[in-house]
Amino acid sequence: MENNDLNIKMVDICKYFPGVKALDHVDFELKKGEVHALLGENGAGKSTLCKIIAGAQPMTSGEYYLFGEKVTGLTPNAAKEKGISMIYQEFNLVPYLKVYENLFLGKEITAGPNLNKKEMIAKTIEIFERFQIKIDPEARVCDLPNAYKQLVEIAKAVLENAQVLCMDEPTAPLSNREVEILFSLIQSLKNEGVSIIYISHRMEEIFEVADRITVMRDGKYICTMDADKTNRKELISLIVGRDLTEEYPKRESVPGEEILRVEHLSTDLTKIHDVSFSLHKGEILGFAGLVGAGRTEVMRALFGADRKTAGEIYLYGKRIEIHKPENAIEQRISLIPEDRKGQGVSLTLSIRENISLVKLKGKEICSFMGINRKKERNLADEYIKALNIKAPSMEQLASNLSGGNQQKVAIAKWLAVDADILILDEPTRGIDVGAKYEIYLLMNELIKAGKSIIMISSEMPELIGMSDRILVMQQGRLVGEISGDEVSQEKILEMASCG
Ligand SMILES: Nc1ncnc2c1ncn2[C@@H]1O[C@H](COP(=O)(O)OP(=O)(O)OP(=O)(O)O)[C@@H](O)[C@H]1O
Ligand SMILES: [Mg+2]
């Protein structure tokens, strides 16, 4: 291969898992100094391609050229030495170590028999300065906001002299503000000639950050385009393989009477303070705010997952006590948590078992004869179809699913519980555009059936597209409510930012 403008060239790559063609004759080229977005539905093969590039997984067949040289049997360490770094969506830092300790983990600078702490801290400061970010080298990683953890991961890659950086959904845990920090860092890296493979399901980001775009579908290569020669609509139809006429399906219904009222809710450590709001029957109530504004905390306290220090909850005008999640579930309130890796899916269980898990507790599938397998399978089947969960069978272990399909299983599991009030915390995070639409349709169906929904989302277009009203939080407090014609992205940001 003579083209030395290319950092990576992949030819005719196949990767098979039992029953799954994760990559089916895929070609891919990465130029020096470009940001190359990799797009496709959940399970399209994006992460798998990156893992092969980073030596984390072997390919079944195909040719892989790195800086013009053919590579075979690449290991993660060999890939790292050759200048490839992978930033996984789940952070790989050691939470209880300090920032600088993480940066130099495994390649500590020593002075004789001792660690040269001073030198390592100096080097850490130097690298952060280069990117104009302020992070205390001696802070423990677990105390940093997610955005900063992400930046530390990137700093680590830079320190390893990465020439190729794979970022698998780097912005999933970030809010708009934090995304901007990340993007300016990406820009500086580009200027230094680093090339970046960028995976994200947030369409609006792609046009901001990418030079070129490759679309994959069902493990197959579809096309590669210059970002400035395509548009959102074309991209979406390339990704899902059909036209999506609208991104947010219309709802006919109008919200009815008040069903839930929360008054003066506060929690420990003043994470949230004096929060009051109401929810109406058949309403989608959106919660906006920056990451850390306290939206998740409000919902956890309401649901009984965190202790309240003050506040009352009224259901149909009657005061109810919620001290633990079981109380909330009894009152037909359910919460789909944001942290779906931790609280959502059980990786060692199958799709079927996961989906029926919460419902089983409600004993609807259990009789005195034990679990009703047929009902359980029907339930799993229903949601696999509704959310288009991609897997060879419902017996597939959740750990073998793509990131987005795991998310869908977590959502199905909570939707399967028959609740009147559903709290959805970032329901479409990590989910592809096609499946997002399916989730919106499902939400509208629930509303039509008389249920009410509270939705937290960091994706502003989705909040605006789906909510009847939007409440805005800032630093643990409610700071405003907007609805109808008042609603705009600028208005929300203005209210959500510290003023
Ligand atoms: N270890 C594994 N065992 C079995 N199947 C696997 C394994 N890893 C991935 N797969 C399958 O390979 C296919 C591609 O998965 P991959 O993780 O690359 O998708 P993706 O494009 O990254 O999706 P997402 O957007 O959901 O993260 C999926 O059908 C997935 O279920
Ligand atoms: Mg993935």
Side-chain angles (χ1 to χ4, degrees), residues 93-125:
L93 301 170
V94 187
Y96 293 101
L97 289 185
K98 293 176 176 169
V99 168
Y100 83 88
E101 291 169 331
N102 264 289
L103 283 188
F104 286 93
L105 197 63
K107 45 186 180 322
E108 289 82 0
I109 303 176
T110 49
N114 301 319
L115 288 179
N116 190 343
K117 183 177 163 187
K118 234 181 169 166
E119 173 91 16
M120 287 191 280
I121 291 181
K123 281 242 157 73
T124 304
I125 294 177

Side-chain angles (χ1 to χ4, degrees), residues 298-344:
V298 168
M299 300 315 154
R300 286 181 55 87
L302 168 59
F303 190 64
D306 285 340
R307 208 175 77 83
K308 312 177 224 332
T309 49
E312 295 110 53
I313 300 168
Y314 298 85
L315 196 64
Y316 298 105
K318 226 181 99 208
R319 176 138 184 216
I320 55 166
E321 298 291 338
I322 297 179
H323 300 296
K324 47 184 196 227
E326 283 81 358
N327 301 146
I329 294 170
E330 275 161 26
Q331 301 287 352
R332 301 172 67 82
I333 299 174
S334 105
L335 170 85
I336 299 180
E338 158 189 51
D339 168 21
R340 289 192 277 268
K341 270 262 157 59
Q343 305 160 30

Side-chain angles (χ1 to χ4, degrees), residues 237-444:
S237 68
L238 282 169
I239 291 169
V240 298
R242 63 192 148 89
D243 276 331
L244 270 188
T245 41
E246 43 180 15
E247 271 183 70
Y248 306 101
K250 297 265 171 314
R251 264 195 318 280
E252 297 298 319
S253 59
V254 193
E257 79 271 19
E258 176 183 293
I259 122 165
L260 178 82
R261 187 149 43 91
V262 172
E263 284 188 358
H264 311 297
L265 192 67
S266 297
T267 63
D268 268 348
L269 305 167
T270 56
K271 271 192 180 150
I272 55 167
H273 190 78
D274 197 17
V275 170
S276 303
F277 65 92
S278 64
L279 173 71
H280 294 250
K281 194 175 162 74
E283 177 180 47
I284 297 184
L285 178 64
F287 267 75
L290 303 180
V291 166
R295 296 169 297 168
T296 295
E297 284 72 17
V298 168
M299 300 315 154
R300 286 181 55 87
L302 168 59
F303 190 64
D306 285 340
R307 208 175 77 83
K308 312 177 224 332
T309 49
E312 295 110 53
I313 300 168
Y314 298 85
L315 196 64
Y316 298 105
K318 226 181 99 208
R319 176 138 184 216
I320 55 166
E321 298 291 338
I322 297 179
H323 300 296
K324 47 184 196 227
E326 283 81 358
N327 301 146
I329 294 170
E330 275 161 26
Q331 301 287 352
R332 301 172 67 82
I333 299 174
S334 105
L335 170 85
I336 299 180
E338 158 189 51
D339 168 21
R340 289 192 277 268
K341 270 262 157 59
Q343 305 160 30
V345 268
S346 310
L347 293 174
T348 55
L349 295 182
S350 69
I351 300 176
R352 169 181 54 78
E353 291 165 314
N354 262 294
I355 292 180
S356 61
L357 203 62
V358 192
K359 193 147 183 161
L360 273 181
K361 280 197 192 145
K363 306 209 179 39
E364 283 161 68
I365 299 181
C366 288
S367 66
F368 67 96
M369 301 289 284
I371 297 173
N372 182 332
R373 292 285 170 209
K374 186 153 182 286
K375 272 193 186 167
E376 196 190 12
R377 276 199 298 274
N378 286 345
L379 184 78
D381 200 45
E382 182 188 326
Y383 281 98
I384 288 172
K385 287 208 183 89
L387 295 177
N388 192 16
I389 296 173
K390 208 170 163 277
S393 88
M394 66 172 73
E395 302 307 327
Q396 179 73 283
L397 290 182
S399 59
N400 286 344
L401 296 178
S402 77
N405 282 301
Q406 287 177 359
Q407 300 275 349
K408 291 185 200 172
V409 171
I411 289 175
K413 163 178 148 181
W414 288 99
L415 284 179
V417 185
D418 200 16
D420 292 334
I421 298 175
L422 278 110
I423 306 172
L424 313 179
D425 197 348
E426 304 283 2
T428 66
R429 173 181 292 173
I431 286 180
D432 68 61
V433 274
K436 274 181 186 164
Y437 187 75
E438 301 299 327
I439 289 179
Y440 302 146
L441 283 179
L442 216 61
M443 286 168 68
N444 282 356

